[in-house]
């Protein structure tokens, strides 16, 4: 025992040693000397690093496991949510006729495809995950990127995820309440259980999450294919005079504002075409698979959306569609007889898959935001054996569950109708700026300059329409965005925080890290 001394747990030396161990837990491996057994950033227990057991030779990082098929499923599964089944009426309400509605749906699909192609160039030039946030950070700097992250974190991501989960719960419970409305409390409970279940799946395994996405993307395409086939059968039977060219444009509204709002409604249904850019770092061969997934997915969604609406119009007039609470369900009730229950089931499956895709990509957005120093460092940590961003997934889940206490979510979302297109336009203007300022950057894909220019002009048109039609809501939205400025100044810009505050943040992060058993991503 001559070489050993009894430790005194109350000694200052031991406290300093414990603090150093905790610091090593919170520090990525790049800050540790090479050869140190704690190089992984996690505390050493019995000489076996959990990173080596689970992470393989590459250590603790988010692995490249997303294949081309997974990428297609993420885009298709995120775009096709509940809207095309439940309320595809926003377009026909503003367009006024069958023919103009179908043209608007097709134009919106082409528009989304052009935007996605521009994002393919962005995603292969700036190869970070994080989508719009990462591109705005690269081009415009820290504050604009933080404000984008702030609104995504506070409102857009959690509220949209909760709404789709609530629609899922409503359709799941409807067979139990066939002749009366589904109780709101019951729907909220099932929506929260849906979010918790999918968070667990995403925390457990990236492969499990992508398999869920693949399955539910296929299920919703199958449901829409069933509707399209019925529509073509109706056309073949010749009972569709309203679709004839001489009749299909009756009642069309060609006013500037009506066309703008019709495009807004259609483009909202295509929302999610840029979500694959949020997980670029986890894609296998992103230079090849990112653009391929986009080129495959957007035409599929566009054709499916146009043909689905065409099928609806074979059975329902524009007036009947506007009066319907769930268009696909009414369509199924008229054609499927005792098998009409299939459509509500598929609507529920569609919503379930959309929530999964949104949770998956939202957690990566917050992960990247933390890695860039805009969110607490805990959110950029990874579980060393599961290799999933556990803290950011749990954070996304909690933020989403908070919206179960809100009674008027849609009014909140309406405040930011312009914000999405503003950020997308900024990102694509940044792409053109990078072409001029940094021509030496590797660009595996380089789209014709007319595409980004025309897309940005179209985005400006949508922003102008938004301010013109809903000026009050846009002003409130700007006010909420401005609340992110003091948060940025205190949380990010202020580097000389008091020692007691730094110690408190440090201790809280270390405690949460130990509870979740997570470590920083290795550089």
């Amino acid at each position: 025992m001559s070489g050993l001394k009894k430790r005194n747990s109350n000694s200052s030396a031991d406290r300093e040693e414990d603090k150093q161990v905790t610091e090593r837990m919170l520090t990525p491996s790049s800050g540790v000397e090479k050869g140190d057994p704690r190089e992984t950033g996690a505390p050493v227990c019995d000489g076996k690093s959990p990173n080596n057991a689970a992470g393989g030779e590459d250590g603790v990082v988010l692995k490249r496991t997303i294949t081309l098929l997974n990428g297609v499923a993420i885009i298709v599964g995120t775009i096709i949510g509940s809207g095309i089944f439940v309320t595809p009426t926003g377009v026909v309400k503003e367009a006024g006729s069958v023919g103009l509605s179908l043209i608007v749906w097709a134009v919106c699909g082409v528009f989304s495809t052009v935007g996605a192609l521009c994002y393919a160039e962005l995603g292969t030039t700036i190869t970070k995950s994080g989508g719009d946030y990462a591109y705005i950070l690269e081009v415009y700097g820290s504050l604009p990127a933080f404000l984008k992250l702030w609104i995504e974190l506070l409102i857009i991501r959690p509220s949209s995820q909760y709404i789709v989960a609530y629609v899922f719960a409503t359709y799941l419970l409807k067979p139990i309440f066939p002749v009366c409305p589904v109780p709101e409390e019951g729907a909220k409970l099932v929506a929260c259980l849906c979010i918790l279940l999918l968070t667990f799946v995403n925390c457990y395994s990236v492969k499990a999450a992508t398999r869920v996405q693949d399955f539910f993307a296929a299920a919703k395409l199958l449901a829409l294919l069933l509707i399209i086939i019925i529509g073509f059968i109706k056309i073949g039977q010749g009972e569709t005079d309203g679709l004839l060219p001489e009749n299909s444009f009756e009642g069309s509204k060609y006013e500037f504002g009506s066309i703008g709002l019709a495009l807004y409604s259609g483009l909202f249904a295509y929302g999610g075409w840029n979500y694959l850019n949020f997980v670029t770092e986890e894609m296998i061969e992103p230079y090849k698979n990112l653009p391929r997934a986009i080129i495959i997915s957007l035409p599929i969604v566009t054709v499916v959306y146009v043909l689905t609406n065409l099928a609806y119009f074979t059975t329902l007039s524009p007036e009947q569609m506007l009066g319907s609470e769930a268009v696909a369900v009414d369509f199924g009730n008229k054609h499927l007889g005792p098998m009409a229950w299939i459509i509500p089931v598929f609507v529920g499956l569609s919503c379930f898959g959309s929530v999964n895709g949104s949770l998956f990509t939202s957690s990566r957005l917050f992960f990247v935001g933390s890695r860039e120093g805009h969110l607490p460092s805990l959110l950029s940590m990874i579980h060393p054996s599961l290799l999933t961003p556990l803290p950011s997934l749990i954070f996304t889940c909690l933020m989403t569950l908070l919206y179960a206490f809100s009674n008027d979510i849609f009014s909140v979302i309406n405040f930011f109708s312009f914000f999405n297109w503003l950020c997308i336009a900024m990102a694509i203007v940044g792409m053109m700026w990078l072409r001029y300022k940094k021509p030496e950057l590797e660009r595996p894909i380089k789209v014709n300059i007319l595409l980004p220019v025309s897309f940005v002009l179209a985005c400006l048109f949508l922003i102008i329409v938004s301010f013109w039609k809903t000026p009050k809501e846009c002003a409130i939205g700007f006010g909420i965005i401005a609340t992110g400025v003091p948060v940025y100044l205190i949380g990010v810009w202020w580097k000389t925080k008091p020692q007691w505050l730094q110690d408190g943040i440090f201790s809280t992060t270390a405690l949460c890290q130990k509870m979740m058993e997570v470590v920083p991503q290795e550089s």
Side-chain angles (χ1 to χ4, degrees):
M1 294 291 183
S2 59
L4 300 175
K5 292 183 180 179
K6 186 177 180 180
R7 291 187 58 182
N8 180 357
S9 61
N10 296 321
S11 70
S12 60
D14 288 336
R15 286 197 301 270
E16 181 64 27
E17 184 180 346
D18 290 340
K19 186 175 180 181
Q20 290 175 1
V21 170
T22 306
E23 285 175 346
R24 282 194 290 268
M25 291 171 62
L26 290 163
T27 306
S29 61
S30 56
V32 183
E33 290 183 7
K34 192 172 182 181
D36 191 317
R38 285 161 295 216
E39 187 176 348
T40 58
V44 177
C45 298
D46 57 355
K48 296 179 181 179
S49 168
N51 305 340
N52 295 333
E57 295 179 357
D58 296 331
V60 182
V61 293
L62 294 177
K63 304 296 185 183
R64 292 190 180 274
T65 56
I66 298 175
T67 63
L68 174 60
L69 177 62
N70 298 148
V72 171
I74 288 172
I75 296 175
V76 172
T78 307
I79 292 177
I80 302 176
S82 61
I84 190 64
F85 294 101
V86 183
T87 55
T89 53
V91 173
V92 70
K93 178 183 177 182
E94 301 300 337
S97 69
V98 173
L100 188 57
S101 296
L102 295 176
I103 289 173
V104 168
W105 280 106
V107 168
C108 289
V110 173
F111 180 81
S112 299
T113 303
V114 171
L117 289 173
C118 294
Y119 265 60
E121 177 175 334
L122 271 169
T124 52
T125 304
I126 303 170
T127 54
K128 295 179 181 178
S129 293
D132 310 336
Y133 164 76
Y135 310 145
I136 291 172
L137 178 65
E138 180 77 20
V139 177
Y140 300 97
S142 185
L143 178 58
F146 178 83
L147 294 177
K148 162 68 175 175
L149 182 66
W150 173 247
I151 296 303
E152 292 278 356
L153 175 156
L154 199 64
I155 293 172
I156 294 177
R157 291 304 185 111
S159 62
S160 59
Q161 285 159 190
Y162 178 75
I163 287 170
V164 179
Y166 187 85
V167 174
F168 160 77
T170 302
Y171 276 86
L172 186 70
L173 295 175
K174 189 60 183 173
I176 304 174
F177 302 93
V179 294
C180 62
V182 175
E184 184 179 355
E185 293 77 11
K188 284 188 173 183
L189 176 61
V190 174
C192 292
L193 291 174
C194 164
I195 293 161
L196 288 168
L197 174 62
L198 287 173
T199 301
F200 172 79
V201 171
N202 278 267
C203 288
Y204 177 73
S205 165
V206 173
K207 283 189 176 180
T210 53
R211 283 170 183 163
V212 167
Q213 192 66 18
D214 294 347
F215 174 79
F216 285 98
K220 62 184 72 179
L221 285 176
L222 184 62
L224 292 173
L225 183 61
L226 174 63
I227 292 171
I228 291 167
I229 290 172
I230 293 172
F232 275 113
I233 292 173
K234 287 285 291 179
I235 292 173
Q237 291 173 347
E239 301 173 6
T240 54
D241 292 341
L243 298 181
L244 296 174
E246 57 268 23
N247 301 327
S248 59
F249 287 91
E250 289 180 4
S252 296
K253 301 176 184 176
Y254 296 107
E255 295 84 4
F256 178 83
S258 296
I259 295 293
L261 290 175
L263 288 170
Y264 236 114
S265 297
L267 290 169
F268 183 80
Y270 282 93
W273 52 262
N274 57 343
Y275 273 28
L276 191 59
N277 291 67
F278 287 91
V279 294
T280 308
E281 294 174 25
E282 295 177 68
M283 290 195 71
I284 297 171
E285 295 186 297
Y287 290 134
K288 294 180 181 178
N289 288 335
L290 176 63
R292 284 175 181 172
I294 287 168
I295 292 167
I296 293 170
S297 304
L298 268 298
I300 289 175
V301 174
T302 302
V303 171
V304 166
Y305 269 13
V306 172
L307 293 181
T308 300
N309 278 278
L310 178 65
Y312 289 151
F313 285 126
T314 62
T315 302
L316 304 170
S317 67
E319 293 76 20
Q320 288 174 318
M321 285 183 68
L322 291 174
S324 173
E325 292 185 359
V327 174
V329 174
D330 288 347
F331 182 88
N333 289 338
K334 291 198 174 190
H335 295 294
L336 296 176
M339 297 298 291
W341 58 268
I342 290 175
I343 298 298
V345 169
F346 274 122
V347 174
L349 294 177
S350 177
C351 294
F352 194 80
S354 293
V355 175
N356 181 71
S358 187
L359 279 172
F360 186 85
T361 55
S362 297
S363 64
R364 272 53 177 187
L365 171 62
F366 303 145
F367 177 90
V368 174
S370 170
R371 192 176 63 188
E372 298 293 343
H374 285 167
L375 292 175
S377 60
L378 178 70
L379 298 183
S380 60
M381 295 187 186
I382 302 171
H383 194 282
S385 57
L386 300 176
L387 296 178
T388 57
L390 204 68
S392 63
L393 282 162
I394 293 173
F395 175 76
T396 306
C397 173
L398 294 176
M399 289 298 297
T400 304
L401 292 176
L402 286 177
Y403 277 85
F405 299 100
S406 172
N407 293 321
D408 193 10
I409 303 176
F410 289 97
S411 63
V412 177
I413 291 179
N414 290 336
F415 296 151
F416 300 96
S417 57
F418 69 94
F419 184 71
N420 182 51
W421 295 112
L422 177 62
C423 292
I424 289 173
M426 288 175 65
I428 294 180
V429 169
M431 181 193 84
M432 293 186 284
W433 181 85
L434 285 173
R435 282 192 184 185
Y436 168 73
K437 200 71 176 177
K438 298 183 179 180
E440 74 281 358
L441 289 177
E442 184 180 359
R443 290 177 175 82
I445 293 178
K446 192 171 182 179
V447 298
N448 188 293
I449 192 65
L450 292 176
L451 294 182
V453 169
S454 59
F455 189 86
V456 169
L457 291 175
C459 287
L460 292 176
F461 166 76
L462 293 170
I463 295 167
I464 291 168
V465 168
S466 183
F467 276 95
W468 178 32
K469 290 290 187 178
T470 56
K472 183 179 177 181
E473 288 82 355
C474 292
I476 294 172
F478 262 116
I480 297 173
I481 293 168
T483 62
V485 176
V487 177
Y488 173 81
L489 293 175
I490 295 170
V492 181
W493 182 79
W494 184 23
K495 301 296 184 184
T496 57
K497 296 180 178 68
Q499 189 61 42
W500 62 267
L501 182 58
Q502 294 186 43
D503 290 342
I505 295 170
F506 182 89
S507 300
T508 304
T509 304
L511 176 63
C512 293
Q513 184 185 2
K514 291 173 183 176
M515 289 172 62
M516 297 185 202
E517 299 181 352
V518 292
V519 296
Q521 183 179 25
E522 292 188 359
S523 300

